[in-house]
Amino acid sequence: MSEVTLRMLFDVDTDAIGRRADGWLRMAGSIDDACEELIRVSRDLEHVWPDGPAAEAAAARGHDLRSEASNAYPPCRRIGDALRLHADTLRGLQGRVQGIAAEASGRGFSVDVTTGTVTAPSRMFTESGSPQIVAQQIAAYVNEFRAILAQAAESDASTADAISVNLPDATAGFGTLGLPPVDEATLRDQQGRTPKEVNGWWRTLTPEQQEQAIRDFPELVGWLDGVPSTDRDVANRLVLTTRMDALRSDADAHARRLADLLMNDPRNRFEIQRETEAMNAAQSQLDKLAEVDKALQRLGPPGLLLGVDGSGDGRVVIAVGDPDTALHTGVWVPGLGTTMEGNTVDNVKRMQTVNAATDLYLDQPGQVSTVYWLGYDAPDLNNFSVVGEGRSEQGGPSYLHFMEGLRATHDTGPSHLVAMGHSYGSTVVAEAALTGRLPVDDIMVQGSPGMHTDHASDLMADPRHVWAGSAGNDPVSETSNVTKYTQLVPIAGPFIGDAYDDGHGVSPHEAAFGANQYVVDTSGHTHYWEQDSESVNNQARVLVGQYSRVGTVHGSPPPDVVP
C-alpha cells in the first residue's frame, strides 16, 4: 500500500466511499430480508414432510441453504459498517487539515498539500525577533499533519483488512456450517447492557441465530431494548399467542374441575374456592391479553407489538408504524386509571388519530410512527398513588431505556423523536428527562399535573422544545380545579390537594414554567385526541416538527425541523 499523503487525503471522495458503504448495507438488509423469508417458508417442512429419503434430503438441503444465506449477512454488514466508519473518519480528518492550513495561512505561513511542507517567508524570521520560535511553529504544524496522516493510514489499513477478512472463500463461499445457537444465559446478559450495545450484539448474529433466539426465548427478546422493532414484534406475537392458548387451557381445566366439584363434592368449600380463584386468575390475564390482540387486529399491518406482559397489572407497548424507519416518532405514556384490559384499544386509537393527523403536513403517508407505551404501573383512583412520585420514579428509567433503544435501532437517515405523556404519564416522561439523558428532540404533554420541576429548562436544554396542552376545565392539569374538587372530599380532601401540588409541582402549561402552551379546543381530561380538533392537529404539527404552524397561547416555538 502506498504512503498516504496530504494531497491524497485532500482529494479522496468521502461521499463515494459513503455510497459504497450504503450499497453494502442495503445488500446486507436484502440478504437479511431474504433469509427471514426463506426461514419462514421452510420452517414447517419437517412437519409436513417428515419421513423418507427424499424428506431427509430436502431437510438437509434446506438447512444448508438457510445456513449459507444466513452466514452471508454478518460479513456483508461488517464491510458496510467498516466503509461507513472509514468515510466518516476521512471526512473528519479532511476538516482538520483544512482548519490547520487555514490557521497557518492566516498567520503568514505557506502550506503545500502536495509535499506536506510548511514554510515561512524570510521576513518572518527577521521580524519575529526569534527565528527559533518560527521554526518551532513550522515543526508543530508539520507534526499535526503527520499525526493526521497516520490516522488516515490506520483507518485505510483497518478498512482494507475488514474487507479482505469478510470476503467469501473462493471455493466454499460463506459455508453451510451453522453458528452456535444463542442460549438463555447470553440473552439474559444483554439485559444489563445499554440498548446501543444490545443492538451491536444483535447485528453480529446471523438471521438463523436471530430466528432461533426469537423462537426459543421470545419473552426475553420481546422486551430487549436495542433489538429491531420488527424482530421484537415477531417475538411478542409469539408470546401473546402462546400465553393466550395456555391461559384458555388453564381456565377451561379449572372450570371443568369446578363443575365436577359442584356436582359431586359440593361441601368441599376449600377446593371449590381454590378452583374458582385459579379460574378467575387465568381468565383475568386472558382478558388483558385479549384486549391487546383486539387492538392489534384492528391496527392490521401497521401495528407492531413491542412488548407484552399480562402478569400483575400488565404491561404493553404497541407501535402504529415502524419507529425504526419513520422520519418522526412519538412515544406516548398514558396516565391515571390506565389498565391493560380496560384501555388498550382506546389508547391505541388515540395514537392512530394523531398518526393520521400528521398526513396533513407531510408529502406522503407512512413517515410517522406513534407508540403507545404502558411500560409502568399507572396509578389508579383507589389509593393515593396519583398524588405521589413513586409510580413515575419506577417508570422513568424503563421509559428512558426504551427511548435509547429506539435511537439505537433506527435505520440510517434523519429521525425526529418526541416524548409524549398524558396526565400522570407526563411525570414518567419528566423523570426520564430530568436525568439529562433522554434522547429526544421534543417533549409534549397533555393534562399534566406537573413534571417534578418548576422550569422547562430542567427537562430540555432548549425549553422551546417543551410543549404542554391543557383544557380549561381539566381537573388534573388545572390546579384550581384540583383544589375545587378535593375540597368536596371530607377530611382527606385538602390533604390530597396539598399533596398533589407538592408531589408534582407547577403544571407545565403555566407561563412561569417556560414551555410552549399549545391551543386546546377540547373539554375535560380525556378528550385531547378528538378527530379534527385543533388539539390533535397541534400535536401532529409538533410531532412532524412544523412548529411555526402550531397554535400557541404563549411561548416561543423553535425553528421548524428541516426534512
Side-chain angles (χ1 to χ4, degrees):
M1 182 177 63
S2 61
E3 181 182 358
V4 177
T5 66
L6 281 181
R7 171 54 61 190
M8 291 171 62
L9 181 57
F10 253 115
D11 292 343
V12 68
D13 186 351
T14 57
D15 289 339
I17 298 174
R19 288 192 295 272
R20 288 176 173 83
D22 291 341
W24 279 95
L25 293 173
R26 282 194 302 271
M27 184 163 61
S30 297
I31 292 173
D32 190 28
D33 292 342
C35 286
E36 289 180 358
E37 179 65 17
L38 177 61
I39 291 168
R40 185 163 48 249
V41 300
S42 63
R43 63 162 62 104
D44 294 328
L45 180 62
E46 62 185 81
H47 302 298
V48 299
W49 193 10
D51 302 312
E56 293 176 4
R61 181 56 179 154
H63 175 271
D64 288 349
L65 282 173
R66 288 193 298 271
S67 296
E68 187 172 18
S70 186
N71 291 343
Y73 166 76
C76 187
R77 182 90 208 189
R78 287 193 289 266
I79 291 175
D81 287 339
L83 286 169
R84 169 57 59 199
L85 178 61
H86 190 44
D88 292 341
T89 299
L90 294 183
R91 190 177 295 113
L93 294 177
Q94 284 177 333
R96 287 176 57 189
V97 168
Q98 292 167 354
I100 294 170
E103 177 189 317
S105 298
R107 297 177 64 180
F109 296 94
S110 298
V111 178
D112 188 333
V113 296
T114 300
T115 61
T117 57
V118 179
T119 58
S122 57
R123 61 176 178 77
M124 288 186 67
F125 290 95
T126 58
E127 295 175 359
S128 67
S130 178
Q132 184 179 1
I133 293 178
V134 176
Q136 289 175 343
Q137 290 175 332
I138 291 174
Y141 284 130
V142 171
N143 287 336
E144 285 188 87
F145 285 141
R146 287 174 178 170
I148 289 173
L149 292 178
Q151 292 181 50
E154 181 182 356
S155 179
D156 193 57
S158 63
T159 304
D161 287 344
I163 293 173
S164 63
V165 301
N166 284 293
L167 292 175
D169 182 88
T171 58
F174 291 105
T176 60
L177 182 64
L179 295 178
V182 179
D183 58 25
E184 182 176 358
T186 300
L187 268 169
R188 291 196 180 279
D189 286 344
Q190 305 308 314
Q191 294 175 328
R193 306 178 72 190
T194 67
K196 185 176 181 179
E197 291 171 334
V198 170
N199 183 253
W201 166 78
W202 186 259
R203 285 168 48 178
T204 66
L205 303 179
T206 67
E208 268 199 315
Q209 287 176 306
Q210 294 173 354
E211 163 75 11
Q212 171 265 316
I214 291 171
R215 181 185 65 247
D216 293 347
F217 310 106
E219 69 286 350
L220 296 179
V221 175
W223 281 103
L224 197 54
D225 295 327
V227 171
S229 296
T230 52
D231 290 331
R232 290 180 68 165
D233 177 62
V234 173
N236 284 307
R237 286 179 188 265
L238 181 57
V239 170
L240 180 64
T241 301
T242 303
R243 188 60 181 150
M244 288 182 69
D245 288 344
L247 287 169
R248 287 192 190 97
S249 179
D250 285 350
D252 289 345
H254 290 302
R256 288 193 299 271
R257 173 64 177 155
L258 180 60
D260 182 67
L261 286 169
L262 291 173
M263 178 172 290
N264 300 311
D265 194 9
R267 294 184 179 182
N268 192 344
R269 294 181 179 177
F270 175 78
E271 284 296 318
I272 289 174
Q273 181 179 355
R274 193 165 73 93
E275 291 297 330
T276 300
E277 290 175 352
M279 180 184 68
N280 290 340
Q283 188 60 51
S284 176
Q285 280 202 47
L286 183 58
D287 289 343
K288 294 173 188 174
L289 298 180
E291 181 81 356
V292 173
D293 187 55
K294 183 179 179 180
L296 290 170
Q297 289 185 29
R298 291 191 174 189
L299 263 180
L304 294 175
L305 183 58
L306 304 185
V308 63
D309 181 4
S311 63
D313 291 328
R315 297 181 299 156
V316 62
V317 183
I318 296 176
V320 183
D322 187 351
D324 293 348
T325 58
L327 294 178
H328 308 274
T329 297
V331 183
W332 181 73
V333 187
L336 173 66
T338 303
T339 62
M340 189 171 173
E341 69 271 27
N343 307 98
T344 300
V345 169
D346 288 341
N347 281 334
V348 171
K349 283 182 180 178
R350 290 173 173 177
M351 292 302 94
Q352 285 180 279
T353 300
V354 176
N355 198 304
T358 64
D359 289 345
L360 298 172
Y361 311 106
L362 297 172
D363 295 336
Q364 57 184 8
Q367 298 178 319
V368 173
S369 174
T370 44
V371 183
Y372 170 55
W373 189 89
L374 181 61
Y376 82 116
D377 185 10
D380 55 50
L381 295 171
N382 297 326
N383 52 48
F384 289 150
S385 59
V386 70
V387 305
E389 302 175 15
R391 300 287 178 91
S392 53
E393 289 174 344
Q394 294 169 7
S398 296
Y399 184 74
L400 170 61
H401 208 255
F402 179 80
M403 300 298 267
E404 289 175 335
L406 292 188
R407 284 297 192 198
T409 58
H410 194 273
D411 291 346
T412 56
S415 173
H416 177 229
L417 185 59
V418 181
M420 307 191 303
H422 170 237
S423 185
Y424 196 91
S426 67
T427 70
V428 175
V429 172
E431 285 298 319
L434 288 170
T435 66
R437 296 186 291 111
L438 186 63
V440 299
D441 301 292
D442 290 280
I443 292 175
M444 176 172 57
V445 298
Q446 313 87 30
S448 173
M451 300 186 73
H452 301 174
T453 179
D454 292 332
H455 305 286
S457 57
D458 292 334
L459 302 174
M460 295 199 71
D462 185 349
R464 295 179 301 169
H465 286 276
V466 181
W467 307 80
S470 176
N473 60 346
D474 187 333
V476 174
S477 55
E478 296 292 335
T479 305
S480 61
N481 289 330
V482 174
T483 303
K484 178 177 66 177
Y485 286 112
T486 56
Q487 294 301 324
L488 300 177
V489 180
I491 301 177
F495 166 77
I496 295 174
D498 292 343
Y500 187 90
D501 289 341
D502 293 342
H504 301 308
V506 63
S507 294
H509 70 279
E510 299 288 349
F513 189 77
N516 299 303
Q517 182 183 3
Y518 65 84
V519 172
V520 170
D521 58 346
T522 56
S523 178
H525 186 59
T526 60
H527 297 280
Y528 291 96
W529 304 273
E530 289 183 359
Q531 190 170 357
D532 298 325
S533 66
E534 190 65 6
S535 173
V536 83
N537 286 335
N538 280 328
Q539 292 177 57
R541 292 161 185 154
V542 172
L543 184 53
V544 299
Q546 296 190 17
Y547 310 127
S548 61
R549 303 181 67 173
V550 178
T552 58
V553 178
H554 59 74
S556 179
D560 288 356
V561 172
V562 178

